[in-house]
Amino acid sequence: MIEAKDVRAGYGKEEILHGISLRARKGEITTLIGGNGSGKSTLLRAICGFIPLTGGDIAVDGVSVKDMPRTELARKIAYLPQGKNVPDISAGRMVLHGRFPYLNYPRKYSKEDYEIAGKAMEEMGIGAFAEKQMSELSGGMRQKVYIAMALAQQAPVIVMDEPTTYLDMEQQLKFVRMAGRLSESGKTIILVLHDIPLALKISHRIAAVKDGRVIKCASGEEILESGVIGRLYGVDVKSVQTDAGCQYYYEIE
């Protein structure tokens, strides 16, 4: 479980997060929504220990991130950032980077590391591309490599910033199923999504972020009924019951 209490953080002298409190439970998908610049990605980076806190605290299973060595925190939290450089390595080596927090001196991957990385690639349907250079892959294929790297880390908490970027509709559906399986297995999943119908569909709880503050955190249905989506985006989302369950759509005037 991740628990943020009155978190303040930012870059240099600019404070981006102004006292955010949030709880992401084990076995659940918690999704952050909000406009560009609202503080969503900054919160993810604070959770992962990439930027220092200027106030408040963040705990992983009751232990403050301030008290965790970097390697231990990397074993607890797998992080998929939004903007990523394209390294000059193969897809298979990229996925293996997810095993780095577990390496001891000398830094050599074990047979188990290769097996775990291979399984993660197979789960993402990219096993055949292990020898391909990252620069040769499409944006969608590279995104699947990065997700596989996060899976290979085998951390109890998985944090992903816009993970469905570049994925086509089929791959988005596969991601939804995978995220569901991960949460059912007991992992804590924290996502940033701009696809609001998708967020409503897959999330146990949604946190609406605006101007560095969480203005509402509740179930998808409560978020929908509160009108907060209209406040954030100026667009309403409606729901309709179908044979396949509740479906969500944007209402465009």
Side-chain angles (χ1 to χ4, degrees):
M1 183 178 76
I2 296 287
E3 187 168 14
K5 294 182 179 179
D6 196 28
V7 169
R8 295 179 178 272
Y11 305 96
K13 295 182 179 180
E14 183 182 8
E15 185 177 272
I16 305 297
L17 307 179
H18 310 299
I20 278 186
S21 294
L22 177 71
R23 180 178 293 177
R25 298 181 177 92
K26 179 180 178 180
E28 291 189 357
I29 298 173
T30 301
T31 301
L32 310 182
I33 64 171
N36 293 330
S38 60
K40 305 182 302 299
S41 296
T42 300
L43 178 56
L44 296 192
R45 290 178 60 78
I47 288 172
C48 296
F50 295 136
I51 58 174
L53 306 183
T54 57
D57 198 10
I58 296 172
V60 183
D61 293 334
V63 180
S64 171
V65 296
K66 299 174 183 177
D67 299 328
M68 285 190 191
R70 186 75 201 111
T71 301
E72 183 181 353
L73 189 56
R75 291 178 181 178
K76 293 284 188 181
I77 304 175
Y79 173 58
L80 176 68
Q82 183 180 23
K84 299 168 287 293
N85 295 324
V86 182
D88 187 24
I89 60 175
S90 69
R93 296 300 295 184
M94 189 77 245
V95 175
L96 268 172
H97 281 190
R99 301 301 302 160
F100 195 80
Y102 301 94
L103 298 185
N104 296 314
Y105 185 84
R107 303 284 188 180
K108 290 185 178 181
Y109 294 111
S110 67
K111 179 182 178 181
E112 182 184 19
D113 292 325
Y114 282 100
E115 290 175 350
I116 291 171
K119 183 178 179 180
M121 294 190 76
E122 291 297 334
E123 184 164 1
M124 291 307 300
I126 55 174
F129 297 90
E131 301 303 320
K132 281 278 191 181
Q133 292 295 301
M134 291 291 288
S135 58
E136 298 174 3
L137 301 178
S138 67
M141 194 64 69
R142 285 199 296 268
Q143 188 72 349
K144 287 190 277 187
V145 171
Y146 293 125
I147 295 174
M149 181 176 68
L151 295 179
Q153 200 165 327
Q154 292 192 322
V157 179
I158 302 178
V159 175
M160 301 188 192
D161 197 347
E162 284 296 321
T164 57
T165 300
Y166 304 120
L167 298 183
D168 60 31
M169 187 175 295
E170 179 185 5
Q171 296 304 323
Q172 286 185 25
L173 291 174
K174 288 182 178 179
F175 172 82
V176 167
R177 297 188 191 104
M178 180 196 70
R181 290 196 301 272
L182 290 171
S183 67
E184 288 170 3
S185 72
K187 291 188 183 293
T188 301
I189 311 294
I190 304 177
L191 307 176
V192 165
L193 291 176
H194 282 297
D195 187 332
I196 305 306
L198 179 60
L200 290 166
K201 189 72 175 176
I202 71 172
S203 306
H204 295 89
R205 293 180 68 78
I206 295 177
V209 183
K210 182 178 175 63
D211 298 330
R213 296 177 173 85
V214 173
I215 61 173
K216 182 78 174 178
C217 185
S219 68
E221 209 51 46
E222 289 174 302
I223 288 288
L224 190 65
E225 293 173 358
S226 71
V228 72
I229 295 173
R231 290 167 56 193
L232 291 176
Y233 300 101
V235 176
D236 285 330
V237 174
K238 301 295 184 181
S239 64
V240 61
Q241 287 293 337
T242 70
D243 292 340
C246 190
Q247 305 298 321
Y248 303 94
Y249 62 95
Y250 293 107
E251 184 177 61
I252 301 176
E253 295 182 356

